[in-house]
Amino acid sequence: MLLLFSEDIMQINKKDINIIITYLKIDEEIGKRIRSNNISRCARYFNSTQTKRHIANLLAQSSLTEKPCTCASLSKKTGYSKTAVFKIINEAVDAGYVDETYLKKQRFLSASTEMLDAVFEYAQFRHSLWKTYYPLEVANSTQSKLSLLSKVS
């Protein structure tokens, strides 16, 4: 089968092929983690669809930067309908994954402690993948020396 694509592959240099394979291996590891039983209910919920994963990413970012968001702002940033965002957010609030605060009749959203714990665990997992697949870059970077991935109580 490789012979069928040999002309195309010959146009890609060996270093680029290795980089592509590394990215695919990382994606495979992430997929294995998502399918495993070793992740929280919150992580499983937000990884069940690309839409939920995208919303969770933005919620986590807004919470970590202490800038609560709204369903409307999530809808605008993601391009998903307000109805779809409201449905996911309401499910997440009911499950305890998202906190809501009302200010002048407007609902603001932030990641719950449970969601932030799942985000933190995922960051540690990604960091371990980074160290596995890019050991020289990690050894030479200041990122590996940061205490960012040491959980703060």
Side-chain angles (χ1 to χ4, degrees):
M1 188 164 167
L2 183 58
L3 295 176
L4 296 174
F5 301 105
S6 61
E7 290 177 24
D8 293 334
I9 289 178
M10 291 178 76
Q11 293 176 10
I12 303 173
N13 71 45
K14 187 88 167 151
K15 184 178 178 183
D16 288 343
I17 289 173
N18 288 335
I19 290 170
I20 292 167
I21 289 171
T22 298
Y23 292 157
L24 294 172
K25 286 181 180 179
I26 290 171
D27 285 348
E28 183 180 349
E29 292 293 330
I30 292 168
K32 284 180 189 175
R33 178 185 171 274
I34 290 169
R35 290 186 303 275
S36 78
N37 290 325
N38 297 332
I39 62 173
S40 69
R41 289 181 316 113
C42 179
R44 187 169 311 290
Y45 174 79
F46 282 111
N47 280 292
S48 63
T49 68
Q50 184 62 36
T51 304
K52 289 177 184 175
R53 197 169 19 257
H54 195 180
I55 289 170
N57 183 308
L58 292 172
L59 264 170
Q61 288 181 55
S62 75
S63 295
L64 292 170
T65 58
E66 298 180 354
K67 296 176 183 173
C69 55
T70 64
C71 284
S73 68
L74 288 172
S75 176
K76 185 176 180 179
K77 287 179 183 178
T78 60
Y80 304 132
S81 71
K82 287 181 184 176
T83 304
V85 172
F86 273 94
K87 181 179 184 292
I88 291 168
I89 292 301
N90 287 339
E91 288 176 356
V93 167
D94 289 345
Y97 307 145
V98 173
D99 294 332
E100 57 186 353
T101 306
Y102 288 89
L103 183 64
K104 297 182 181 177
K105 297 184 181 181
Q106 186 170 12
R107 180 167 81 156
F108 291 92
L109 308 165
S110 59
S112 70
T113 302
E114 184 175 357
M115 183 178 178
L116 289 175
D117 285 346
V119 167
F120 174 77
E121 190 276 326
Y122 180 70
Q124 288 180 314
F125 171 75
R126 287 299 297 254
H127 190 69
S128 72
L129 286 179
W130 183 259
K131 289 191 302 189
T132 300
Y133 289 99
Y134 301 103
L136 292 177
E137 288 86 346
V138 171
N140 294 329
S141 76
T142 56
Q143 180 182 13
S144 65
K145 297 177 181 99
L146 292 177
S147 61
L148 173 67
L149 296 179
S150 300
K151 188 168 182 177
V152 178
S153 300

